Amino acid sequence: MSKPVNEIKSAWIRDAKEADYIVVSSRIRLARNLADFTFPASMTMQDSSEIVKQVQGIAAVIADYNFYQLADLSDLSKQILVEKHMISPQLACLQGQEAAIIINDEGSVSIMVNEEDHLRLQCILPGLNLEQCFQAISNADQELEQKLNYAYDSELGYLTSCPTNLGTGMRASVMLHLPALVKTKNIAKAFDTVAKLGFVARGIYGEGTEGLGHMFQISNQITLGRTEEDIIASLSSLVKQLVDHELNARDYLEENFLIDLEDSVGRAWGLLSGARKISAEETMKLLSKLRLGAERKLVVDIKPADLNKLMLDIQIGSLQQLVHERLDANQRDIIRATILRQRLKQ
Amino acid sequence: MSKPVNEIKSAWIRDAKEADYIVVSSRIRLARNLADFTFPASMTMQDSSEIVKQVQGIAAVIADYNFYQLADLSDLSKQILVEKHMISPQLACLQGQEAAIIINDEGSVSIMVNEEDHLRLQCILPGLNLEQCFQAISNADQELEQKLNYAYDSELGYLTSCPTNLGTGMRASVMLHLPALVKTKNIAKAFDTVAKLGFVARGIYGEGTEGLGHMFQISNQITLGRTEEDIIASLSSLVKQLVDHELNARDYLEENFLIDLEDSVGRAWGLLSGARKISAEETMKLLSKLRLGAERKLVVDIKPADLNKLMLDIQIGSLQQLVHERLDANQRDIIRATILRQRLKQ
């Protein structure tokens, strides 16, 4: 029996450790398709229903797996899953096909059925933990592969809807908090390096979004012609470099502009503690300053797990879930400010 | 023996009562000149010295009066007297003539010797108290007049350096906090009425200054052809009208934009409590919001006397006096923020 979907906590939020201020989370995603069906973009409703049924049968026998038909989830629940990064906005909006979601009890592994590919498996963990993510997602992948006929070409590797995913079908990504690189105007140079190494940087909610709250996702572009281990090792090494750059930029700001840094953190704390209505966007920008202050042990003392949880709880869906009420934009801004005041009272 | 000048507290700051949120202070000033000397603009050093000597002799025999030669006061002390509104910026900067200041123990009456006129007597009290100011200043005026030969014309009245002060030589003024009239864009209309009645509105530190922190001084233009009682009665009545308009505007904002009002007060409190460096100008603007919130009993609970004291203590001179140190602009911004944090901690 599956748990109520809203009761599953995200591992990357809950399990963040003291060191996880800069590397917020690591994620590995695998794209897999079934050989006996056309890709989701052109499949029939009957196909989609058959795939969901097959996957449900397998998921039922794996311990700790929770299965949800997309159609059974409320819009609010889907919105919250997007905010937790457990499903994509595309799946949440899917119409005209059956789809499903599988999530493990721990809230680290989730599998989307009939998104862009028949199966999208992912594992997200806090901090820099790509190897551990890969281990977890490979286990899930193997369990499924034993019982499903994956579309696989001995030369091309795993076949995918979009050719950019061909081969390993793997995307590895890391979410980084890089306020000091932005502040010192070194972020463009850092992202040049990212691009030269075949990786791409983007905003917190995927392609096309800005680096809101100075959060950036770095992920691999290339899936063909490189092994999973190679991609993971390169990305881990790149992330360590970026973290070093960010730490150097923080040291520079702290050594040369300490009072400005403290002022920025203090004012962010003041606004978050004092506001009676506040947008999600402004909150994200201010939480970014608190996160920087907390990492530097300046002005505020807040753990990464608490910051991650705040970052989630002020989002549109999670906020409404917290108060068990549908809220319009204005009401959300008021409730958001109330929650922030309560949480930041020390 | 005169008290150290920095130990004299301003009555208008210290004695503010619960009701004195909107009418911050009332002030009556009299311009007087001595018949046997030319006006200050054209008098000799010897004249100025002789006048100071005469006035000192009289002040010495009046109880509770403290006498200070301008030359004996440090720049910092003069700056603080300006910030307390006890002397004018013009007197503080005076060069090439002897000048003096007399202040009563209570910190309500001050007399400038050899500013624009030989004598400028003033009384400032908190709230709407023009009659009481006039009573106090008339007593001082009479004590001096008994022993000095005032320049007086039976037709023109008291003779003054500037013809705008001729006649009564009296300027009556009231300092008002009018944020809601500004916010609702009714301030220009209100000041039209002020002008039509022969009064003038200006910023907190006199002519040419803006309404910083929504503080405005309303004073009489005309000194000739109207009795003191008439001017005081008209101004009192005008101020009561302005206060009514301001209260109506506050009611309107509270009824229609309560959350915005609370948000504005809460954010002002947050910034004042959180900042690690802050300018006097930004502080005045934020204190204005706190003052409005306090009057409405919204978000904060601070008495007018405490707000007045904060408004004084964050000024350039008073700030340095508080920490007993000369500070550059950057250091002042840091100390100002420290003081604000301490005072606003509840």
Side-chain angles (χ1 to χ4, degrees):
Chain A
M1 185 63 194
S2 292
K3 284 192 196 179
V5 68
N6 296 330
E7 285 182 14
I8 301 180
K9 310 282 181 226
S10 297
W12 70 271
I13 292 173
R14 179 197 55 213
D15 298 338
K17 290 182 205 65
E18 180 60 33
D20 298 340
Y21 282 111
I22 297 179
V23 185
V24 179
S25 60
S26 298
R27 172 175 173 265
I28 300 277
R29 182 268 285 158
L30 301 177
R32 298 289 184 257
N33 288 277
L34 307 187
D36 309 328
F37 298 88
T38 58
F39 288 134
S42 55
M43 74 185 168
T44 62
M45 172 63 106
Q46 204 176 354
D47 280 351
S48 70
S49 169
E50 178 56 31
I51 293 170
V52 167
K53 229 172 273 160
Q54 284 195 19
V55 176
Q56 180 170 20
I58 300 164
V61 297
I62 308 181
D64 307 330
Y65 269 37
N66 302 276
F67 180 91
Y68 310 95
Q69 290 267 5
L70 188 70
D72 293 343
L73 296 178
S74 68
D75 286 347
L76 183 61
S77 291
K78 286 186 278 190
Q79 169 78 22
I80 295 170
L81 290 174
V82 171
E83 291 167 2
K84 289 175 171 172
H85 301 175
M86 285 177 168
I87 68 172
S88 65
Q90 289 71 28
L91 186 75
C93 302
L94 191 79
Q95 298 285 346
Q97 276 178 359
E98 283 199 32
I101 302 142
I102 296 164
I103 308 172
N104 69 346
D105 278 349
E106 202 196 322
S108 57
V109 171
S110 63
I111 302 169
M112 295 188 283
V113 185
N114 292 339
E115 205 243 24
E116 187 181 304
D117 294 291
H118 294 142
L119 297 171
R120 285 270 177 121
L121 302 80
Q122 70 160 16
C123 176
I124 309 188
L125 291 173
L128 182 53
N129 269 311
L130 289 168
E131 290 86 355
Q132 215 180 319
C133 287
F134 184 63
Q135 192 59 51
I137 211 63
S138 296
N139 291 344
D141 189 37
Q142 279 158 26
E143 296 227 43
L144 292 173
E145 196 163 16
Q146 282 169 20
K147 287 160 186 158
L148 294 167
N149 183 18
Y150 277 176
Y152 185 85
D153 180 277
S154 59
E155 201 153 313
L156 292 171
Y158 291 101
L159 302 179
T160 54
S161 289
C162 178
T164 59
N165 291 312
L166 266 180
T168 58
M170 184 184 86
R171 179 141 294 155
S173 64
V174 173
M175 201 191 336
L176 293 168
H177 182 230
L178 304 175
L181 285 178
V182 173
K183 183 78 185 166
T184 58
K185 304 200 196 302
N186 283 306
I187 195 81
K189 216 176 65 187
F191 286 175
D192 278 351
T193 310
V194 168
K196 275 181 198 142
L197 293 171
F199 293 90
V200 64
R202 44 191 173 176
I204 182 172
Y205 282 110
E207 278 179 85
T209 67
E210 296 265 309
L212 185 59
H214 304 127
M215 291 286 181
F216 299 94
Q217 250 183 43
I218 313 290
S219 59
N220 61 310
Q221 283 277 60
I222 299 158
T223 54
L224 194 63
R226 291 181 78 176
T227 66
E228 290 88 343
E229 287 75 9
D230 179 34
I231 294 169
I232 288 171
S234 302
L235 181 54
S236 293
S237 151
L238 170 61
V239 166
K240 282 175 195 158
Q241 269 186 52
L242 287 170
V243 169
D244 276 348
H245 285 324
E246 172 67 19
L247 285 171
N248 286 340
R250 291 181 183 203
D251 289 345
Y252 169 80
L253 291 176
E254 198 174 341
E255 278 160 32
N256 296 283
F257 303 98
L258 179 60
I259 192 76
D260 304 80
L261 195 54
E262 291 176 329
D263 187 50
S264 155
V265 179
R267 283 170 182 257
W269 172 85
L271 287 171
L272 290 167
S273 311
R276 260 54 184 177
K277 63 176 209 184
I278 191 164
S279 70
E281 190 179 331
E282 186 184 0
T283 307
M284 289 293 282
K285 286 178 183 168
L286 295 171
L287 283 179
S288 168
K289 294 177 179 187
L290 283 203
R291 193 173 187 106
L292 172 58
E295 188 271 329
R296 292 281 108 173
K297 311 284 170 230
L298 292 177
V299 183
V300 292
D301 179 17
I302 315 180
K303 299 276 168 280
D306 295 326
L307 285 163
N308 290 355
K309 189 151 175 15
L310 257 182
M311 207 160 66
L312 173 69
D313 287 345
I314 57 97
Q315 301 297 332
I316 294 178
S318 305
L319 196 67
Q320 298 182 81
Q321 178 63 22
L322 270 179
V323 295
H324 304 291
E325 250 185 279
R326 300 293 286 170
L327 304 167
D328 65 29
N330 194 43
Q331 292 170 320
R332 287 200 299 268
D333 287 353
I334 295 170
I335 296 289
R336 184 177 294 115
T338 308
I339 290 171
L340 285 165
R341 277 206 305 290
Q342 289 166 347
R343 299 275 181 89
L344 294 175
K345 208 183 288 168
Q346 280 163 322
Chain B
M1 185 62 193
S2 293
K3 286 191 197 179
V5 68
N6 295 329
E7 284 181 16
I8 302 180
K9 310 283 180 224
S10 298
W12 72 272
I13 292 173
R14 178 196 56 212
D15 298 339
K17 288 180 205 69
E18 180 61 31
D20 299 338
Y21 282 112
I22 296 178
V23 185
V24 179
S25 62
S26 298
R27 170 174 175 266
I28 300 277
R29 181 269 283 158
L30 301 177
R32 298 291 184 256
N33 287 280
L34 305 188
D36 310 327
F37 298 87
T38 59
F39 289 132
S42 55
M43 73 184 171
T44 61
M45 174 63 108
Q46 207 176 351
D47 281 350
S48 68
S49 170
E50 178 56 30
I51 292 170
V52 166
K53 233 172 268 160
Q54 284 196 20
V55 176
Q56 179 170 20
I58 300 164
V61 297
I62 308 180
D64 306 333
Y65 269 37
N66 303 279
F67 181 91
Y68 310 95
Q69 291 266 7
L70 188 70
D72 292 344
L73 297 177
S74 67
D75 287 345
L76 183 62
S77 292
K78 287 186 276 190
Q79 168 79 20
I80 295 170
L81 290 173
V82 171
E83 292 167 3
K84 289 175 172 174
H85 302 176
M86 284 177 168
I87 68 171
S88 65
Q90 289 72 29
L91 187 74
C93 301
L94 191 80
Q95 299 283 348
Q97 277 178 359
E98 282 199 33
I101 303 142
I102 296 165
I103 308 173
N104 69 347
D105 278 349
E106 202 197 324
S108 56
V109 171
S110 64
I111 301 170
M112 295 188 285
V113 185
N114 291 339
E115 204 243 27
E116 187 182 304
D117 294 292
H118 294 143
L119 297 171
R120 286 271 177 118
L121 302 80
Q122 69 158 18
C123 176
I124 309 188
L125 292 173
L128 182 52
N129 270 310
L130 288 168
E131 290 86 355
Q132 215 180 317
C133 286
F134 184 62
Q135 193 56 53
I137 210 64
S138 297
N139 291 343
D141 189 36
Q142 279 158 29
E143 296 227 43
L144 292 173
E145 197 162 17
Q146 283 170 20
K147 289 164 185 153
L148 293 168
N149 183 19
Y150 276 178
Y152 185 84
D153 179 278
S154 59
E155 201 151 315
L156 291 171
Y158 292 101
L159 301 179
T160 55
S161 289
C162 179
T164 59
N165 290 314
L166 265 180
T168 57
M170 184 184 83
R171 179 140 294 155
S173 63
V174 173
M175 201 196 328
L176 293 167
H177 182 231
L178 304 175
L181 285 178
V182 173
K183 182 78 186 165
T184 59
K185 305 198 194 305
N186 283 307
I187 195 81
K189 217 176 67 190
F191 286 175
D192 278 351
T193 310
V194 168
K196 274 181 198 140
L197 294 170
F199 292 90
V200 65
R202 44 191 174 176
I204 181 171
Y205 281 109
E207 279 180 85
T209 66
E210 296 265 310
L212 186 58
H214 304 127
M215 291 286 180
F216 300 95
Q217 249 185 43
I218 313 290
S219 59
N220 61 312
Q221 283 278 59
I222 298 158
T223 53
L224 195 63
R226 291 180 79 176
T227 65
E228 289 88 342
E229 289 76 8
D230 180 31
I231 293 169
I232 288 171
S234 302
L235 181 55
S236 293
S237 152
L238 171 60
V239 166
K240 281 174 193 156
Q241 268 185 53
L242 288 170
V243 168
D244 276 348
H245 285 323
E246 172 68 19
L247 286 171
N248 287 339
R250 290 181 184 203
D251 288 346
Y252 169 81
L253 291 176
E254 198 173 343
E255 279 160 29
N256 297 283
F257 302 97
L258 178 60
I259 193 76
D260 303 81
L261 195 53
E262 291 177 328
D263 187 50
S264 154
V265 179
R267 283 169 183 257
W269 172 85
L271 286 171
L272 290 168
S273 311
R276 260 57 184 176
K277 62 177 212 185
I278 191 163
S279 70
E281 190 180 331
E282 185 185 0
T283 306
M284 289 294 280
K285 286 179 181 167
L286 295 172
L287 284 178
S288 168
K289 294 178 179 188
L290 282 202
R291 193 173 187 106
L292 173 58
E295 188 271 331
R296 291 281 108 173
K297 311 283 172 230
L298 292 177
V299 182
V300 291
D301 179 19
I302 314 180
K303 302 275 167 279
D306 295 326
L307 285 164
N308 290 355
K309 188 150 175 20
L310 256 182
M311 208 160 65
L312 174 68
D313 286 345
I314 58 96
Q315 301 297 331
I316 294 178
S318 305
L319 195 67
Q320 296 181 81
Q321 179 62 24
L322 269 179
V323 295
H324 305 289
E325 251 184 277
R326 301 293 286 170
L327 305 167
D328 65 29
N330 193 42
Q331 292 170 321
R332 288 200 299 268
D333 288 353
I334 295 170
I335 297 288
R336 184 176 293 115
T338 308
I339 290 171
L340 286 164
R341 276 205 307 289
Q342 288 166 347
R343 299 276 181 89
L344 294 174
K345 208 184 287 170
Q346 283 163 320

